[in-house]
Amino acid sequence: MSRVLAFLTARQSAGRAGWRVTDALFRGAVGGLGLVGVGVVLHRVDLVVIGAPLLLATIAALAVPVGRPPVPRLEPLPRTVEAGDGAKAAITTAADPGVEFLAIRLPTPGTASLGPVHLLSGRATTLRATLRWNAWGEGVDLRPDHLAASRDALLISGPVVGVETRRTVLPPVVPLITGPLPPRASGLVGAHRSRRPGDGVELRTVRPFQPGDRLRRVDWRVTLRAGAATGDPLAVPHVREQHAEVDADLVLVLDSLADVSAELADWSSAAPGVTVRPGGSLDGSVRAAAALAAGYLRQGDRVGLIDLGHPQLSLPPGVGLRQLTRLRHQLVACSRAAGWASRPVLLPRQVPPGAVVVFLSPFLDDATVTAATTTARRHLVIAVDMLPSPLVADPGTPWGEVVRLVMTAEHQARREALRANGVAVVDSPEAVAATLRRVRS
């Protein structure tokens, strides 16, 4: 009787701690007790010999306390990582002696897979997993789902969905050759030469001294030579006048209204497990924007970002490494909200005067073309066609090839409309530099 009471007490305490019984417990307890009872009533020793060990083993397994269910804890990892980085994730657990094994499932970062299941003994304290973030974006990359079992699996806890670990994976920066941007006429300090005089390093002319000129600009050699010709060495001081170095602005316009791949059959469905279609138009646009921003910020230009679908996510032009980090974070935010806008929005006040505007878009609708041509009336606009090529027809419908031909013809007509309105159209971000050199020459 005492053993039965201990069995019931252990079961109740485990239930209050968060454990639940399994079929193995009922089979061991009910089956063992039933065999022993029937054997005593019928005076069958064989039934008692079979049922007693089963009942005693069940009671002995429950006699070891299981305590609170173990909860895996993940050691802190960086909140922001680079695409292609890897890290060692350590998951620690603390279990009581009554826990026999712990099953932990880890999702695979950047994929739709739930990941492998790791089966650990109750004495194990640390699980180490290798993580690698191959795809950029933001979302859940590690979630230790777990299930714990007591001895002989008589009690289990779970399965429990673990605490989600979110991380921002910044898009990669690919080295890109940059071209010369036209300087802003209103600037006074920067990396580009302007036609107006001012502070700089490139000589513009040497002229006679005028009221307002600084004495440190006097060229004494030229002054002495000019004075020797007139007989008065200091009669007409001459000063050196430089070209002013001014800022140049580059504004990247991201088309987040559409994210398409080369397969027309996939346009109507979302990519499973990811927010951005790998190898699609938005993926290529974000990578191109990061590369262009890094290249022009490196040479001292000001770079900003405009999201056609969400103007509130735009980033004003800035300089330096901090601006590049902010811009890459903003690209991830734009991709997270992609596809929810009904039409493109580009306000004139978003583009500074004299800035070069680079459109990164597949140009699948006339509204985007209209936004680019309207901007071209006031700025130099370069359109980078991000539509994957060549398009692949849908093999599941007899009209697949016809649809492909129509889409290709409409896209080509939009490209021609851009060129007719003064917009330079290129097929890759690498061609932006050549276009800028052609414009400056």
Side-chain angles (χ1 to χ4, degrees):
M1 181 63 67
S2 61
R3 291 188 176 183
V4 174
L5 292 176
F7 166 75
L8 296 176
T9 302
R11 176 184 170 184
Q12 292 175 358
S13 61
R16 288 193 297 268
W19 298 85
R20 69 176 189 272
V21 300
T22 62
D23 294 340
L25 176 59
F26 283 105
R27 287 193 297 267
V30 177
L33 184 61
L35 288 174
V36 171
V38 172
V40 171
V41 172
L42 300 179
H43 303 284
R44 294 282 301 273
V45 178
D46 55 341
L47 295 180
V48 176
V49 171
I50 296 174
L54 184 61
L55 179 61
L56 293 176
T58 303
I59 296 175
L62 287 178
V64 182
V66 292
R68 303 293 300 180
V71 178
R73 300 186 183 278
L74 176 67
E75 293 184 359
L77 289 173
R79 293 281 298 176
T80 303
V81 295
E82 299 278 344
D85 286 353
K88 291 286 188 178
I91 301 169
T92 59
T93 58
D96 291 327
V99 178
E100 186 169 9
F101 70 87
L102 183 68
I104 299 178
R105 182 180 65 185
L106 302 176
T108 303
T111 66
S113 173
L114 293 177
V117 176
H118 303 269
L119 190 62
L120 309 177
S121 65
R123 296 183 299 272
T125 58
T126 303
L127 169 65
R128 298 190 179 275
T130 302
L131 302 179
R132 180 165 295 277
W133 298 278
N134 295 321
W136 62 268
E138 182 177 353
V140 179
D141 65 350
L142 193 61
R143 190 191 64 213
D145 303 338
H146 56 280
L147 181 146
S150 67
R151 294 191 175 185
D152 296 336
L154 301 181
L155 302 173
I156 63 171
S157 174
V160 179
V161 177
V163 178
E164 296 179 347
T165 303
R166 292 185 171 270
R167 208 159 325 280
T168 299
V169 184
L170 299 179
V173 175
V174 180
L176 194 66
I177 299 176
T178 58
L181 295 177
R184 293 175 58 192
S186 59
L188 294 177
V189 178
H192 298 273
R193 190 195 76 177
S194 70
R195 297 181 180 180
R196 60 186 296 182
D199 293 330
V201 296
E202 186 174 348
L203 180 64
R204 183 171 185 263
T205 185
V206 178
R207 57 173 176 77
F209 185 89
Q210 298 176 357
D213 289 336
R214 297 182 179 180
L215 292 178
R216 64 183 179 87
R217 296 189 180 278
V218 176
D219 191 329
W220 296 108
R221 292 184 180 180
V222 176
T223 300
L224 292 175
R225 287 198 297 268
T230 60
D232 189 355
L234 299 178
V236 185
H238 286 69
V239 297
R240 297 172 63 88
E241 187 177 87
Q242 285 88 16
H243 287 280
E245 293 180 346
V246 296
D247 290 330
D249 285 347
L250 176 69
V251 177
L252 303 172
V253 179
L254 180 69
D255 184 1
S256 62
L257 279 74
D259 183 16
V260 297
S261 62
E263 290 77 11
L264 293 175
D266 298 336
W267 284 20
S268 59
S269 60
V274 294
T275 57
V276 177
R277 197 184 304 272
S281 60
L282 186 56
D283 182 26
S285 298
V286 169
R287 293 174 182 270
L292 289 170
Y296 285 97
L297 287 172
R298 191 180 301 113
Q299 71 178 19
D301 296 318
R302 297 162 51 87
V303 180
L305 175 68
I306 295 177
D307 186 353
L308 280 180
H310 303 83
Q312 68 274 14
L313 296 180
S314 301
L315 190 65
V319 296
L321 182 60
R322 183 178 180 182
Q323 177 70 4
L324 177 60
T325 304
R326 292 178 59 194
L327 193 141
R328 295 170 71 191
H329 277 276
Q330 206 65 17
L331 287 172
V332 176
C334 294
S335 63
R336 185 176 62 247
W340 293 96
S342 58
R343 60 184 181 87
V345 177
L346 180 58
L347 305 177
R349 65 173 180 270
Q350 293 179 281
V351 184
V356 175
V357 182
V358 177
F359 272 74
L360 300 166
S361 171
F363 296 104
L364 292 177
D365 58 84
D366 296 334
T368 306
V369 175
T370 302
T373 55
T374 303
T375 307
R377 300 171 186 172
R378 303 180 302 273
H379 304 274
L380 172 61
V381 176
I382 301 176
V384 183
D385 187 4
M386 302 306 301
L387 183 67
S389 179
L391 296 178
V392 179
D394 184 2
T397 172
W399 300 99
E401 182 62 23
V402 176
V403 172
R404 187 190 70 84
L405 293 176
V406 171
M407 294 296 299
T408 303
E410 291 181 349
H411 182 257
Q412 187 62 32
R414 295 189 186 100
R415 288 171 59 105
E416 295 299 330
L418 289 171
R419 293 191 180 97
N421 287 273
V423 178
V425 181
V426 297
D427 295 322
S428 66
E430 291 80 6
V432 173
T435 303
L436 291 173
R437 293 191 186 94
R438 186 170 61 252
V439 172
R440 289 293 300 272
S441 62

